[in-house]
Amino acid sequence: MLKKTSANPWAWVPSVYIFEGLPNAIVNTVSLIVFKNMGMPNDKLTLYTSLLSFPWILKIVLSPFVDSVSRKRTWTVVMQMMMVVCTCLLGLTLPKGSLSLILVLFLVTAFSSSIHDIAADGFYMLGLDEHRQSLFVGVRNTFFRLALLCGQGLLAIIAGVFQNHGQDAVGSWSVTLVGCSAVMALVAFWDMVSMPRPAADAPREGKGVKATLLELAELFRSFVAKKEFLLALFFLLLYRLPEAFSIKMLIPFLKDAREVGGLAMGDVQVGLANGTIGVIALLLGGILGGIAGGRWGLKKCLIPMALSLALPCVVYLYLSLVQPMGVLPVYLCIAVDQFGYGFGFTAYTLYMLYYSRGKFQTSHYAFCTVLMTFSMMLPGLVAGKIQMAIGYPAFFAMVMVCCLVTVAVTLLIRRIIPEGYGKKDTQ
């Protein structure tokens, strides 16, 4: 029998959640920059990168397989190794320009990341007692966010530095991703050594995969049979519509030449704007949103949060019309938008918790997150095609019209939210 390793959470929680955040950023943000540097038109760019979100939609279906086949520790370690290999192969493949192979590698990374999320979150609950689960929830979230900062910002900055020293754009990302895979390999090896081996970590017995999937189908039936399901469906799919259209177009807009309406920014500036300043502003907005929701409750916060999420999208319309030469106005505009988005997204999270209440709260919340992913993926599929047809100013004007949809579904939902829901000390 293998020797049981240290159960000290500081030895493995930070590194496991670094691995939960970094590949997510590589698939959802780095792919946009890489494909744009390869000269991919915006219609194909947003279509392909939006489809890469699909493995996270399948998490709820993949979960029974993870539970029933092997240990969660094994799933976690194997998926980490898979992501190391895929990231390395991505770096080696980029100079050859094989689009099909690059897409496959991003897709395998996405599936590996999705399965890793399931296994790592399950292992977290098995590897820690209830007290330590609560104690380390802030640690896991912090290292997840730090990994996103590195993936969305630092990697782009590193690739941009290589470009500033004469390396071509594709070659700079090749070196960056190979180097990133080496760091990921070290983290994966550390997890393999440091993660504990709790006795409770074993395949679930008593139910086969078929029985589990039938149970999942019954849970879904109970989800759609809930009172006011159609209202919930409209809200979950449409509340974030302005951001859903604009989020996939931000990097292309920042990088496109001025002649076609873009801002002609390099990868260093993109990394600072979208991956560093933007993420920090998003986190600050989320923190303030959580404080506001806890103090005044969801019903009182719904309209301010909806406006906060929707209206700051006007900064992109401003940037597309003015096309400022300096980077400071761009940084400020993105910070304003992402802060507002972070604040406004709190209402979405609180509503998912509200709608999920009841006997099957955990499963129903998981279904809500599937709809959340759909709400971002579907507009992204066509965002690039629309932008290429009408240009950036008209596209971002269309995004502002979508703000009316956000306000409309918010007004519909607000009338059914109980007074004081989400407020501190309110049941």
Side-chain angles (χ1 to χ4, degrees):
M1 177 179 283
L2 290 170
K3 185 179 179 181
K4 188 174 180 178
T5 53
S6 171
N8 183 351
W10 283 106
W12 59 272
V13 171
S15 53
V16 166
Y17 281 90
I18 285 173
F19 241 107
E20 194 160 309
L22 187 54
N24 185 300
I26 289 173
V27 171
N28 291 304
T29 300
V30 170
S31 63
L32 279 165
I33 303 175
V34 166
F35 287 141
K36 192 64 185 175
N37 285 339
M38 292 175 67
M40 183 179 288
N42 289 347
D43 54 350
K44 291 183 178 179
L45 178 72
T46 58
L47 173 64
Y48 293 155
T49 56
S50 294
L51 288 174
L52 290 175
S53 301
F54 194 68
W56 281 278
I57 293 174
L58 293 180
K59 278 173 66 172
I60 198 164
V61 178
L62 295 171
S63 197
F65 293 91
V66 175
D67 284 339
S68 303
V69 181
S70 193
R71 295 174 173 82
K72 291 182 176 61
R73 187 187 194 280
T74 303
W75 278 110
T76 302
V77 171
V78 170
M79 289 303 105
Q80 288 185 0
M81 292 300 183
M82 181 74 76
M83 289 183 279
V84 168
V85 171
C86 286
T87 304
C88 184
L89 289 176
L90 273 169
L92 296 175
T93 304
L94 281 179
K96 300 176 182 178
S98 175
L99 178 59
S100 298
L101 181 56
I102 292 169
L103 280 170
V104 168
L105 289 170
F106 272 123
L107 188 61
V108 174
T109 304
F111 269 108
S112 301
S113 181
S114 173
I115 295 171
H116 180 271
D117 290 356
I118 298 166
D121 290 343
F123 184 83
Y124 177 85
M125 291 184 281
L126 295 173
L128 302 175
D129 57 35
E130 288 185 5
H131 171 67
R132 285 187 168 185
Q133 287 178 33
S134 300
L135 191 63
F136 275 83
V137 69
V139 175
R140 59 179 267 184
N141 290 342
T142 297
F143 279 90
F144 175 79
R145 298 298 180 185
L146 285 174
L148 287 181
L149 274 172
C150 290
Q152 296 179 3
L154 183 60
L155 292 183
I157 292 169
I158 292 171
V161 169
F162 281 124
Q163 293 166 34
N164 292 341
H165 286 80
Q167 179 71 272
D168 66 275
V170 174
S172 70
W173 273 105
S174 174
V175 174
T176 301
L177 287 174
V178 170
C180 179
S181 71
V183 175
M184 290 167 67
L186 292 174
V187 177
F189 178 76
W190 173 260
D191 282 341
M192 186 167 57
V193 173
S194 65
M195 288 172 69
R197 300 177 185 273
D201 185 17
R204 185 167 62 176
E205 298 179 357
K207 283 186 180 180
V209 172
K210 182 178 179 181
T212 305
L213 291 176
L214 288 174
E215 179 184 322
L216 187 64
E218 178 59 25
L219 288 170
F220 181 73
R221 188 204 64 77
S222 69
F223 177 74
V224 300
K226 293 187 76 167
K227 186 180 179 181
E228 296 152 349
F229 167 71
L230 287 179
L231 276 177
L233 183 66
F234 282 129
F235 183 80
L236 292 173
L237 290 180
L238 297 176
Y239 178 76
R240 301 168 71 193
L241 189 61
E243 197 72 22
F245 271 117
S246 60
I247 194 167
K248 286 293 182 183
M249 289 309 307
L250 177 55
I251 287 175
F253 173 55
L254 295 178
K255 290 186 65 63
D256 264 334
R258 291 181 173 274
E259 293 76 17
V260 296
L263 299 181
M265 296 176 71
D267 283 355
V268 171
Q269 289 75 30
V270 170
L272 285 170
N274 184 58
T276 305
I277 296 170
V279 172
I280 292 171
L282 179 72
L283 294 176
L284 292 175
I287 292 169
L288 183 61
I291 294 171
R295 182 169 182 178
W296 292 295
L298 176 58
K299 188 161 189 167
K300 286 187 177 180
C301 290
L302 257 177
I303 298 300
M305 286 182 174
L307 295 175
S308 175
L309 179 136
L311 295 182
C313 291
V314 74
V315 300
Y316 300 129
L317 178 58
Y318 162 77
L319 289 174
S320 67
L321 292 171
V322 176
Q323 291 184 281
M325 296 299 296
V327 295
L328 184 59
V330 180
Y331 293 164
L332 289 174
C333 284
I334 290 176
V336 168
D337 174 66
Q338 290 301 293
F339 180 86
Y341 179 60
F343 183 77
F345 183 70
T346 306
Y348 194 88
T349 305
L350 286 173
Y351 179 75
M352 289 196 297
L353 290 169
Y354 166 76
Y355 185 76
S356 302
R357 294 176 306 163
K359 183 179 178 181
F360 306 113
Q361 181 171 353
T362 301
S363 298
H364 286 177
Y365 188 84
F367 286 124
C368 286
T369 62
V370 170
L371 289 174
M372 176 180 69
T373 306
F374 262 120
S375 76
M376 300 301 285
M377 186 183 81
L378 296 177
L381 294 173
V382 297
K385 191 174 185 65
I386 295 172
Q387 181 276 320
M388 290 185 70
I390 63 178
Y392 279 113
F395 175 81
F396 288 122
M398 181 204 73
V399 169
M400 293 309 301
V401 173
C402 291
C403 296
L404 298 175
V405 178
T406 298
V407 174
V409 295
T410 301
L411 291 172
L412 286 174
I413 286 296
R414 189 178 184 277
R415 63 186 178 86
I416 65 171
I417 303 296
E419 198 71 42
Y421 175 78
K423 191 175 180 180
K424 186 178 180 181
D425 299 327
T426 300
Q427 299 297 322

